[in-house]
Amino acid sequence: MKGHKKILYLTALCALLTGCSSASKDAEQAIIESGNKISMFVTTDIHYLAESLHDNGPAYQRYLATSDGRQLNYVTEIMDAFAEEVEAQKPDILIVSGDLTNNGEKESHLKLAEMFGEIEQAGGTRVYVIPGNHDIENPYARSIKGEDQYVTDYISSADFETIYGDYGYKEAVSRDKTTLSYLATPSKDVWLLMLDTNVYKTNIKYGAPASYGQIGQETYQWIRECAKLAKENNAQMIAVMHHNLLKHSPVLSYGFTLDNYEEALEVLEECDVKLALSGHIHIQDIKRSRNEEHPIYDVVTSSLCTYPQQYGVLEFDPEQGYDYHTTRVDVASWAKSKNLQNEYLLNFSTNSEKFFADRAYKRIYNQLTETGIYTEYEIELMSDTVSRLNVNYFAGTVPSVREEILESEGYKLWRKATEPERMVTYVNSLVFDYKIDNTKLHISN
Ligand code: FE
Ligand code: MN
């Protein structure tokens, strides 16, 4: 799929561009020539935790028990299996849209960068990353050993740029002055507008990482300059960011969708962007902006370390446009190929689904119990229904279980229920608003 089409070199393309003096001399990566198909893998929210930062001891087990559904206890195996799939498939591009690490530990960043290095060395794939809200100046960075958690090194934004220099920053043809945003031109037809939407400058002062996201005025100005360059060079831009460009959840939007998303939409529309890729909410979801004349799709890929461990496969065809679909990391086959005897890994999909479903079940069970209005039997049925819906909501596959849910005894109880109000809204919204499969999309050129 590659080799022959990469005739131009980045420095050569750079010479065509104005204002790209910051392009690195050693970024002599071949550019995919115009007219070629481009294959991209899209992953996000890996939340990698280096093995050297924990010992599987009591404190770590307690930490895992508070997890939001992330399968942190197998993140190394998931990442290894994923890296093998990338190395075997050799997509032209691997995009990683933030929350690379658990809580921004330096060790986790270094280890992950090493894995990206192996992917690039396997040949044919170039990796582009941007940070997420967990990755930079995160005062929560910890190693977890024995009975305790210990403060460990976090990284600064300058460190991020150095650690991931080979995975975006050194190849950038343009850089935003105020953030870690950059413009990458891996092909002549499609450029990547990699946006750093995180707010980390006050993290240390406040002792906690901000999770909301925004784009500042200077960055908008820079985006417009990138769009102008793209237009002059007949390239289209895909926007990549950690925070969502559109609202994706009936209950979660503050802190997930960009604070100033209306302004961001306006600017990106003006810049002819049709496709944005994001993460952060850990839910597989695709939404389209309301502007009929210039719709923008925000494709959110679910978290790599959360069931069903899926990533996006994005193909660009100069004639057909974009095609996106998800595919699941086959952890069980990877474990088998390595002759591992771990039963959990050998049946990873089933076990991971149960891990995720159980967490939701317990949460809902407790909330329903607190209302004091349902019988134990009703609570079990209702929790079971929401847990099943929730698994499919996060995977983007609600339509595949809709019929089954509608007919379940649990859902019949939810239809009559009024409390807890937020949960009733959530359940009904999932059943009635999620009619499309969120694991695939086509955008015509
Ligand atoms: Fe995340
Ligand atoms: Mn995040």
Side-chain angles (χ1 to χ4, degrees), residues 45 47 70 98-99 133-134 242 280-282 303:
D45 297 83
H47 286 289
R70 281 187 260 159
D99 276 3
N133 57 304
H134 283 253
H242 185 62
H280 191 38
I281 200 166
H282 294 200
S303 159

Side-chain angles (χ1 to χ4, degrees), residues 368 373-383 410 413:
L368 288 171
I373 53 180
Y374 304 104
T375 66
E376 174 68 18
Y377 182 63
E378 287 172 334
I379 292 173
E380 282 172 14
L381 287 173
M382 290 167 86
S383 305
L413 291 165

Side-chain angles (χ1 to χ4, degrees), residues 215-353:
I215 298 177
Q217 293 309 317
E218 295 95 332
T219 303
Y220 283 130
Q221 207 35 55
W222 171 79
I223 292 172
R224 289 190 181 97
E225 285 162 24
C226 291
K228 194 168 161 257
L229 270 184
K231 202 166 188 176
E232 285 164 9
N233 287 278
N234 272 324
Q236 40 186 295
M237 294 197 300
I238 298 176
V240 179
M241 60 188 112
H242 185 62
H243 294 83
N244 308 135
L245 180 62
L246 296 169
K247 290 184 178 172
H248 286 270
S249 159
V251 288
L252 307 172
S253 75
Y254 179 72
F256 291 95
T257 305
L258 283 174
D259 272 13
N260 51 349
Y261 78 99
E262 277 134 334
E263 195 177 2
L265 266 175
E266 256 174 51
V267 174
L268 293 177
E269 275 163 14
E270 182 193 313
C271 294
D272 275 332
V273 170
K274 289 191 277 194
L275 174 62
L277 304 170
S278 63
H280 191 38
I281 200 166
H282 294 200
I283 297 168
Q284 179 68 41
D285 199 65
I286 299 171
K287 289 267 189 297
R288 204 187 92 148
S289 68
R290 292 221 180 89
N291 186 332
E292 292 298 329
E293 266 176 33
H294 191 108
I296 303 184
Y297 290 86
D298 184 20
V299 174
V300 189
T301 303
S302 53
S303 159
L304 188 73
C305 73
T306 304
Y307 178 81
Q309 287 83 32
Q310 61 193 356
Y311 54 94
V313 175
L314 176 64
E315 266 142 17
F316 171 78
D317 181 317
E319 260 120 62
Q320 308 293 324
Y322 295 99
D323 247 307
Y324 172 96
H325 69 269
T326 59
T327 186
R328 298 177 176 191
V329 181
D330 191 346
V331 178
S333 295
W334 169 86
K336 205 172 163 208
S337 77
K338 296 275 177 281
N339 273 322
L340 301 181
Q341 303 301 316
N342 183 324
E343 280 305 316
Y344 198 100
L345 285 171
L346 292 170
N347 293 290
F348 195 73
S349 176
T350 311
N351 288 324
S352 183
E353 181 175 5

Side-chain angles (χ1 to χ4, degrees), residues 104-107 109 135-138 153-161 163-164:
E105 316 79 22
K106 187 177 185 184
E107 278 293 309
H109 279 298
D135 294 323
I136 296 173
E137 288 181 25
N138 189 339
D153 287 351
Y154 54 76
I155 64 164
S156 66
S157 56
D159 295 333
F160 189 91
E161 196 182 320
I163 294 171
Y164 299 103

